Amino acid sequence: MIQRLTHTSVYVLDQDSAYDFYVNKLGFEVRTDASYGEGMRWLTVGPKGQPDLEISLMHIAPGGPWNEEQATLVRQLVTSGAFGVGVLETDDVDKEYEELKARGVEFTRAPQEQFYGKEALLRDDSGNWFSLTQRTTS
């Protein structure tokens, strides 16, 4: 029986820029930042209140699973905002929205009521988007 998800990946254009975005703007903490192999970096972050989840900030580059053509295609898709990569839950979306905007986070949608709660949409520094959601309590 699968018990939980411990790691997931977000594809990013530049790991140094992603580090700054996820740590200094979103307030995530670094879980692992290590070199491995030639020019490879294993960089994981996660929300401070969720220590059992690591989000790997994977640099999009040829090698491993992708050739140059595939890496170029993935970069184009990420940059265009084609990928929604997750839901970030908060207990006060209006307050979090204002705080993140003040830190320079780009939102594509201000908080709006939805059937599941109140949601805003934000983009990371590569183009991936997240839902920032305050669930309805009932």
Side-chain angles (χ1 to χ4, degrees), residues 50-72:
Q50 190 176 12
D52 62 344
L53 175 65
E54 294 191 45
I55 301 168
S56 175
L57 303 176
M58 301 292 291
H59 182 236
I60 304 165
W66 296 326
N67 61 32
E68 182 61 47
E69 182 180 334
Q70 292 167 322
T72 298

Side-chain angles (χ1 to χ4, degrees), residues 95-107 110-111:
K95 178 181 174 191
E96 195 72 27
Y97 171 79
E98 293 300 331
E99 289 177 2
L100 291 175
K101 271 184 56 175
R103 288 187 222 149
V105 173
E106 175 189 351
F107 281 84

